[in-house]
Amino acid sequence: MNKKKLKQWLWPIWRLWSKIPWKRLAWMKRFNPFRLIKRMDWYIINKFIGTYFYSIILIISISIVIDVNENLAKFTTNHAPLRAIVFDYYTNFVPYFANLFSPLFVFIAVIFFTSKLAGNSEIISMLACGMSFKRLLRPYLISAAFIAALNFYLGAYIIPKGTVVRHDFESLYKNNKKNTSASNIQLMVDKGVVAYISQYDDIRKTGYGFALYKFENKKMVSQMNANVIQYDTISDSRYHWKARNYKIRTLKGMREQITSGMEIDTLIKMEPMDLVFSRGQQETFTSPELLRYISKQQKRGSSNVVQYEVEFHKRIATSFASFILTIIGVSLSSRKRKGGMGMYLGIGLALSFTYILLQTVSATFAINADTPPMLAAWIPNILYSIIAYFCYRQAPN
């Protein structure tokens, strides 16, 4: 494009730009959030985010080496292909454990670079210039907000999809264990409709000894029996089943009507995932899928939804842990000490590990001790918020 054509193309844009009353629009700068972030803030944010990802890369790399050493014999025995090991297992292994131990990485990052700033007297200089400790926390909390949003998005939408692939790999080449069948299944599939399956095979998506009962006003009005029922996986609609060797009894007062045949297509509000439960299944659902599943199971009167409710609330609660552990880390490491940061680093790491441990313990109590799932997920945050407040009050000001 020559200069003449370029000028002809840019001239209308320049005229429109020059007519905009920029002075009258100056008030819009007030709504720019970046105007509150100064050069010092960007310096701390870059240090925080950089150290956070550096600690993830370092610790996860060590975890991969240990995991390879532990599972290499299993991979070799089960003839796991290299492509599956790299792309199906470790590609999904890394984000899962990075997100799981994100509170620990946050704390390590804060302790590491803040203690270095304190050792170089940079924090002393900031506070001596009149900056309050509350103002010093601003870039830390901005970084924590970014990490919290990233952790929630990954944990709620991205990691569950990868967990499905990783679990399939583990069942094929690592553990050789996957629950693919169930027996004596009874569940309420709709209001007043109860289904029963004597034996179900999840690989073939086929159930044997099927019965469907429909009740109105506590009286049975119809019953359907079938030797075999199979889920139609290629159907465009959900809940599409095929019943073979079926018999339908319809009760109308004192009369009974019986219909039978070899095969019939029917819609029953149940899916294969409602029939077979495997360990860690709640981790394979995205957050919207968890909500739909919990709602559906509660309508059916199912009692095994506690672990799903805990998983849903834990994803939100874990994201807020970034703020809590950031405040604790800054409060512990912002003061320059002669003895170094050894003792405080140990205290912080102990707090991080106990936080992760408490998450697991509270989830177990929710499942086995009838603790409300939401309370169980938020107990670690409530306790550590108190610790964070105490550390903040003791911090330099």
Side-chain angles (χ1 to χ4, degrees):
M1 183 181 293
N2 54 38
K3 292 183 178 180
K4 187 176 181 180
K5 289 184 178 181
L6 183 62
K7 288 180 179 179
Q8 291 177 353
W9 184 73
L10 291 177
W11 177 248
I13 300 176
W14 170 252
R15 289 189 62 185
L16 180 63
W17 183 269
S18 60
K19 291 181 178 180
I20 297 176
W22 293 109
K23 292 183 178 180
R24 295 181 182 179
L25 298 177
W27 59 272
M28 295 181 66
K29 293 182 179 179
R30 302 174 187 174
F31 300 98
N32 181 15
F34 292 100
R35 71 183 180 86
L36 300 174
I37 306 177
K38 308 302 181 183
R39 183 177 296 180
M40 184 273 297
D41 298 322
W42 283 116
Y43 175 70
I44 293 178
I45 290 171
N46 290 333
K47 288 281 188 181
F48 191 166
I49 302 298
T51 310
Y52 171 76
F53 285 107
Y54 176 77
S55 63
I56 287 178
I57 294 171
L58 182 63
I59 296 176
I60 292 298
S61 299
I62 297 172
S63 302
I64 290 175
V65 172
I66 296 173
D67 191 80
V68 168
N69 184 58
E70 183 180 350
N71 296 310
L72 185 60
K74 294 181 181 179
F75 294 157
T76 306
T77 304
N78 296 317
H79 306 289
L82 180 61
R83 181 182 179 84
I85 294 174
V86 175
F87 294 101
D88 292 348
Y89 184 66
Y90 284 109
T91 302
N92 297 304
F93 171 93
V94 171
Y96 174 78
F97 282 96
N99 199 63
L100 179 65
F101 294 105
S102 180
L104 175 63
F105 298 139
V106 167
F107 190 84
I108 291 175
V110 172
I111 284 285
F112 182 78
F113 87 87
T114 305
S115 60
K116 191 173 182 180
L117 293 179
N120 295 333
S121 301
E122 294 180 65
I123 291 183
I124 294 176
S125 302
M126 296 176 192
L127 298 176
C129 291
M131 179 185 293
S132 64
F133 186 73
K134 184 178 180 180
R135 172 64 181 84
L136 179 64
L137 279 176
R138 182 193 292 176
Y140 287 94
L141 295 181
I142 292 172
S143 304
F146 169 76
I147 294 173
L150 179 64
N151 288 339
F152 176 76
Y153 178 74
L154 289 175
Y157 297 97
I158 305 300
I159 293 177
K161 298 178 181 178
T163 304
V164 175
V165 179
R166 183 170 58 85
H167 282 184
D168 290 340
F169 176 90
E170 289 178 346
S171 64
L172 285 174
Y173 303 111
K174 187 179 176 182
N175 300 326
N176 286 327
K177 293 180 180 179
K178 187 176 181 180
N179 190 16
T180 59
S181 63
S183 59
N184 295 325
I185 304 169
Q186 183 174 341
L187 72 159
M188 183 180 292
V189 297
D190 203 353
K191 185 177 180 180
V193 181
V194 179
Y196 173 81
I197 300 177
S198 177
Q199 192 71 29
Y200 177 75
D201 184 359
D202 193 49
I203 297 176
R204 297 182 177 88
K205 304 293 188 263
T206 303
Y208 305 93
F210 174 76
L212 186 70
Y213 305 93
K214 185 176 180 181
F215 297 88
E216 290 182 2
N217 298 324
K218 298 182 180 181
K219 294 182 179 181
M220 189 174 69
V221 295
S222 69
Q223 175 185 348
M224 175 183 177
N225 294 88
N227 292 341
V228 178
I229 186 169
Q230 187 174 31
Y231 188 70
D232 192 350
T233 56
I234 62 174
S235 175
D236 295 332
S237 60
R238 297 170 63 190
Y239 313 128
H240 192 190
W241 294 83
K242 290 184 177 181
R244 298 187 180 94
N245 295 328
Y246 69 92
K247 182 170 69 173
I248 301 175
R249 295 174 57 211
T250 304
L251 304 176
K252 295 181 180 180
M254 299 299 294
R255 295 183 179 181
E256 179 180 12
Q257 181 181 354
I258 298 178
T259 306
S260 61
M262 293 298 296
E263 184 173 299
I264 187 174
D265 292 343
T266 182
L267 291 177
I268 305 172
K269 289 188 178 181
M270 64 180 184
E271 296 177 278
M273 69 176 184
D274 301 329
L275 306 175
V276 177
F277 302 95
S278 57
R279 185 180 179 184
Q281 185 178 1
Q282 68 273 12
E283 297 175 353
T284 63
F285 292 163
T286 62
S287 290
E289 290 173 345
L290 271 175
L291 275 178
R292 288 195 296 267
Y293 182 84
I294 291 168
S295 177
K296 182 171 65 175
Q297 294 298 101
Q298 286 177 340
K299 288 179 181 177
R300 292 174 173 173
S302 178
S303 60
N304 62 338
V305 295
V306 177
Q307 61 266 37
Y308 297 88
E309 293 178 297
V310 171
E311 177 67 21
F312 176 78
H313 293 295
K314 189 173 73 172
R315 292 175 183 179
I316 303 173
T318 304
S319 301
F320 280 90
S322 300
F323 296 99
I324 298 170
L325 293 178
T326 295
I327 294 173
I328 295 175
V330 177
S331 302
L332 290 176
S333 59
S334 59
R335 180 178 294 175
K336 188 175 181 179
R337 295 174 173 86
K338 291 183 179 180
M341 290 303 302
M343 183 180 72
Y344 294 94
L345 181 61
I347 294 173
L349 290 176
L351 289 173
S352 301
F353 280 117
T354 51
Y355 175 86
I356 297 171
L357 178 63
L358 187 59
Q359 275 188 323
T360 306
V361 172
S362 61
T364 304
F365 272 115
I367 296 170
N368 299 325
D370 295 331
T371 306
M374 186 174 179
L375 177 62
W378 283 90
I379 281 176
N381 283 5
I382 295 171
L383 294 179
Y384 278 78
S385 295
I386 298 172
I387 297 174
Y389 179 75
F390 175 78
C391 293
Y392 172 76
R393 298 295 296 176
Q394 297 297 320
N397 46 44

